[in-house]
Amino acid sequence: MDFEFSGVTEAKVYLVCCATYDPITKEKIKWWLYGDKPEQERLANYLSKYDIIMGYSCVAEARSFLALGLLPLEFEWLDLFLE
């Protein structure tokens, strides 16, 4: 998983896009967000079904989860940077 965003302030992250890959289904999905609330809600619902999130240097992804209204501590994280 990887997020791209811009306009970061302490209170808000302006999410631009997210790329996800499901290793079980081999499904790759690109989410184009651009501040689109319905699309952000769809992404949040999609991510909620997973227990483990994998990425590289996941601090930014955890911040993006907060912007989507998800609590990062409710997920297990595999950070490839740390590994």
Side-chain angles (χ1 to χ4, degrees):
M1 162 180 304
D2 187 36
F3 278 91
E4 297 299 327
F5 48 85
S6 66
V8 177
T9 66
E10 186 66 28
K12 183 172 170 81
V13 172
Y14 183 78
L15 299 173
V16 175
C17 67
C18 175
T20 61
Y21 174 74
D22 186 322
I24 296 169
T25 65
K26 309 279 192 256
E27 182 179 34
K28 298 176 189 174
I29 302 176
K30 295 176 186 164
W31 304 82
W32 297 100
L33 303 168
Y34 297 112
D36 181 357
K37 281 292 185 191
E39 192 67 6
Q40 288 182 13
E41 289 173 5
R42 284 190 31 201
L43 174 57
N45 289 334
Y46 173 80
L47 294 174
S48 293
K49 69 181 182 177
Y50 292 98
D51 296 326
I52 299 174
I53 305 296
M54 183 173 62
Y56 188 84
S57 192
C58 291
V59 172
E61 279 62 40
R63 180 66 177 98
S64 297
F65 271 49
L66 288 172
L68 291 170
L70 299 172
L71 296 175
L73 295 177
E74 292 181 355
F75 299 85
E76 291 186 48
W77 293 83
L78 174 60
D79 191 332
L80 299 175
F81 179 74
L82 296 175
E83 295 296 326

